[in-house]
Amino acid sequence: MNATPGSAGTSNISMSANSDTALSKLESEWKERIHSKLLTVMDLSLIGSMEGLEARKQIRDICQRLMQDESALLNADQRTRVIQRIEDEVLGLGPLESLLQDPTISDILVNGANQVYVERRGKLELTNVTFNDDRHLMNIIDRIVSGVGRRIDESSPMVDARLQDGSRVNAIIPPLALDGPILSIRRFSAEMLTMEKLIELGSVSKQIAVVLEAIVVGRLNILVSGGTGAGKTTMLNVLSGYIPTDERIVTIEDSAELQLQQPHVVRLETRPPNIENKGEITARDLIKNSLRMRPERIIIGEVRGAEALDMLQAMNTGHDGSLTTIHANTPRDALSRVETMVSMTGISFPMKTLRAQIASAINVVIQIERHEDGHRRLTSVQEIDGMEGDIITMSELFAFERQGLDEEGNVLGSLRATGVVPSFRKKLHLKGIEIPVETFEPSWLDVKG
């Protein structure tokens, strides 16, 4: 949920970054020539056994000698750029390395060999980065997916993977991708965001931070809802920071992204089927297994299928304090999606029974949105009250009040209390966790002197 400043000045940053990543035609020709010769004179199997810095030094020294032998018509700066690109090609992800080193980039979107976009400060920008051809791009994709024990080919043309730093990767290739291999990288932030940082960025308020800490420490079950790229996983990371360090936590993810700092964390990750379509381990399998691991908290990176039923059962059978995320545009839609996912199990439940189980399992729904200015904001916090007939009743405790746009296109508004005092306040009071009732008072009740 990395809230970002306005887009003013972004174009200048983008231009300077792009000029650093694009090689001239002459440099590209020498890069291919020296790279080819390097492969013939150097035993790359030895590189794998070297430390990263030592391997780069070896490659650099050999490339410099090859350039001298070939009398390369390049000045010192050009030679440096060419050698850097060769190092990236051999040891890294080729043309993508320069983008991966840029801390301002949150997403890298490769639409075939000749088109690479990045997201910087919430806005998409076209870069000058290109690949030699689709085969070159496929080699980079193969390097990524093989590094985590997965594969991609015509028989299995889609894959989810991750980089060594934890960045999330999705790749899809022909015949499914009509215009060449497509690669999407969601960057993994090296900086651990905290609630204090989110308050500083304006994503949440101090008022609501008190409530969020209380509901996590008080072991309420929390569902974080939002669209793609809204910051759900970031919010999950921030909330998990409030979990006491003496609790045993089991995390379940499709691609490991959570950055829990507690000492007692068991991390589980799903596994896709092999080439024989066997060996798949689903999130549902891992949730069932986690119940036998004596967890005090279960954190599910995202529910997206039949595992929703097992999640509800875990929350309803003593594993309180669980957290998960879901793709949905509103808190009400989030509950509807849980209903839909439970139906994927093939088990038929009476609607009222299913909704009663949802109302009993989930205590709080937190909605995250990504606005058109690129900022990611917490926009709603709702408590699930229970059932009225066949309907799950909810109370909105905090809501984002939008007040328009400023001259730079930034969304104006703030998260305010609605005046509803949640029923969980009494429950938390009995556990020794106090939330001042003034926290829930709407701004119009403020007495101004």
Side-chain angles (χ1 to χ4, degrees):
M1 227 178 78
N2 50 330
T4 56
S7 57
T10 299
S11 59
N12 293 333
I13 297 173
S14 175
M15 289 173 62
S16 64
N18 291 340
S19 64
D20 289 342
T21 58
L23 294 180
S24 68
K25 184 178 179 180
L26 178 62
E27 290 170 345
S28 296
E29 291 173 354
W30 277 104
K31 178 250 178 185
E32 292 302 317
R33 186 170 173 177
I34 299 300
H35 185 212
S36 298
K37 288 189 172 292
L38 175 72
L39 297 180
T40 63
V41 302
M42 187 173 190
D43 186 355
L44 294 182
S45 63
L46 297 177
I47 291 293
S49 61
M50 296 181 184
E51 294 287 339
L53 293 177
E54 177 61 23
R56 285 188 176 271
K57 183 178 183 302
Q58 290 276 357
I59 293 173
R60 196 178 303 121
D61 292 343
I62 295 175
C63 286
Q64 287 172 345
R65 288 201 300 270
L66 289 173
M67 284 186 175
Q68 291 174 354
D69 293 343
E70 296 289 321
S71 300
L73 301 175
L74 299 172
N75 61 36
D77 289 341
Q78 289 174 320
R79 293 190 179 206
T80 299
R81 283 196 293 269
V82 168
I83 293 174
Q84 180 65 52
R85 188 60 64 88
I86 293 174
E87 288 179 34
D88 293 341
E89 199 68 49
V90 175
L91 299 174
L93 300 183
L96 298 180
E97 279 296 318
S98 57
L99 302 179
L100 291 169
Q101 300 305 317
D102 187 341
T104 67
I105 293 175
S106 56
D107 284 86
I108 301 172
L109 308 172
V110 182
N111 302 334
N114 298 315
Q115 191 180 70
V116 179
Y117 280 86
V118 298
E119 181 187 291
R120 185 184 277 111
R121 296 176 173 83
K123 302 290 184 180
L124 287 179
E125 304 171 8
L126 179 64
T127 72
N128 292 334
V129 174
T130 60
F131 293 81
N132 298 337
D133 47 36
D134 284 350
R135 186 175 182 180
H136 183 201
L137 175 53
M138 274 302 304
N139 288 337
I140 298 299
I141 293 175
D142 282 332
R143 188 176 300 175
I144 293 172
V145 300
S146 62
V148 291
R150 302 192 177 185
R151 66 181 182 86
I152 187 168
D153 51 40
E154 287 190 5
S155 63
S156 180
M158 295 186 297
V159 69
D160 287 316
R162 68 178 184 276
L163 302 181
Q164 289 184 347
D165 68 355
S167 296
R168 184 196 309 172
V169 177
N170 175 269
I172 181 168
I173 65 173
L176 300 186
L178 301 182
D179 300 319
I182 306 298
L183 178 65
S184 305
I185 301 176
R186 171 68 55 81
R187 294 291 308 283
F188 185 86
S189 176
E191 178 188 5
M192 267 291 295
L193 282 177
T194 61
M195 189 61 73
E196 290 73 20
K197 184 66 174 178
L198 294 185
I199 293 172
E200 179 186 332
L201 293 171
S203 295
V204 300
S205 65
K206 291 182 179 179
Q207 183 184 23
I208 199 171
V210 173
V211 178
L212 295 180
E213 179 178 7
I215 62 178
V216 174
V217 175
R219 302 184 66 87
L220 300 186
N221 293 322
I222 302 170
L223 181 63
V224 179
S225 168
T228 301
K232 300 183 298 297
T233 302
T234 301
M235 176 56 73
L236 202 61
N237 266 320
V238 172
L239 293 176
S240 68
Y242 290 129
I243 298 176
T245 56
D246 60 349
E247 294 188 12
R248 176 176 169 85
I249 307 167
V250 177
T251 68
I252 298 168
E253 301 175 84
D254 282 332
S255 182
E257 295 178 87
L258 295 173
Q259 301 170 273
L260 274 64
Q261 303 301 304
Q262 289 81 353
H264 199 164
V265 178
V266 178
R267 304 169 68 210
L268 306 179
E269 187 177 59
T270 61
R271 187 178 70 185
N274 59 22
I275 193 170
E276 298 173 347
N277 203 32
K278 297 179 180 179
E280 180 180 19
I281 305 296
T282 66
R284 192 173 189 192
D285 298 325
L286 294 179
I287 293 174
K288 289 178 180 177
N289 189 78
S290 70
L291 300 180
R292 305 184 182 100
M293 300 173 68
R294 197 202 169 275
E296 291 179 288
R297 305 263 187 165
I298 298 176
I299 301 179
I300 306 170
E302 181 184 342
V303 287
R304 60 180 69 183
E307 68 271 10
L309 175 60
D310 302 281
M311 175 196 74
L312 293 177
Q313 291 177 335
M315 289 178 171
N316 274 320
T317 54
H319 298 90
D320 50 352
S322 297
L323 298 91
T324 188
T325 73
I326 192 169
H327 274 82
N329 292 327
T330 68
R332 177 65 63 180
D333 288 347
L335 300 187
S336 297
R337 288 212 66 214
V338 172
E339 291 180 24
T340 303
M341 291 173 184
V342 171
S343 68
M344 295 179 183
T345 62
I347 303 173
S348 179
F349 288 95
M351 187 57 69
K352 185 174 183 179
T353 302
L354 174 57
R355 289 179 176 173
Q357 188 170 11
I358 293 173
S360 175
I362 302 171
N363 303 116
V364 177
V365 181
I366 297 172
Q367 185 69 33
I368 309 293
E369 285 187 27
R370 175 179 170 174
H371 290 140
E372 62 268 30
D373 60 359
H375 285 65
R376 295 162 172 88
R377 298 179 175 90
L378 191 156
T379 57
S380 181
V381 176
Q382 299 198 23
E383 178 187 31
I384 296 181
D385 301 316
M387 296 281 293
E388 283 188 9
D390 292 343
I391 305 300
I392 299 175
T393 59
M394 305 176 73
S395 296
E396 188 165 38
L397 310 179
F398 298 88
F400 183 79
E401 293 184 8
R402 182 167 175 154
Q403 298 166 346
L405 300 174
D406 65 14
E407 294 178 354
E408 296 180 348
N410 295 315
V411 174
L412 299 175
S414 60
L415 193 69
R416 299 177 181 273
T418 62
V420 176
V421 178
S423 59
F424 64 65
R425 181 173 177 269
K426 182 178 180 181
K427 179 180 179 180
L428 296 180
H429 168 73
L430 296 176
K431 294 183 176 183
I433 303 170
E434 299 293 344
I435 306 177
V437 71
E438 296 81 10
T439 304
F440 304 102
E441 289 182 356
S443 58
W444 53 265
L445 288 178
D446 291 346
V447 178
K448 301 186 184 299

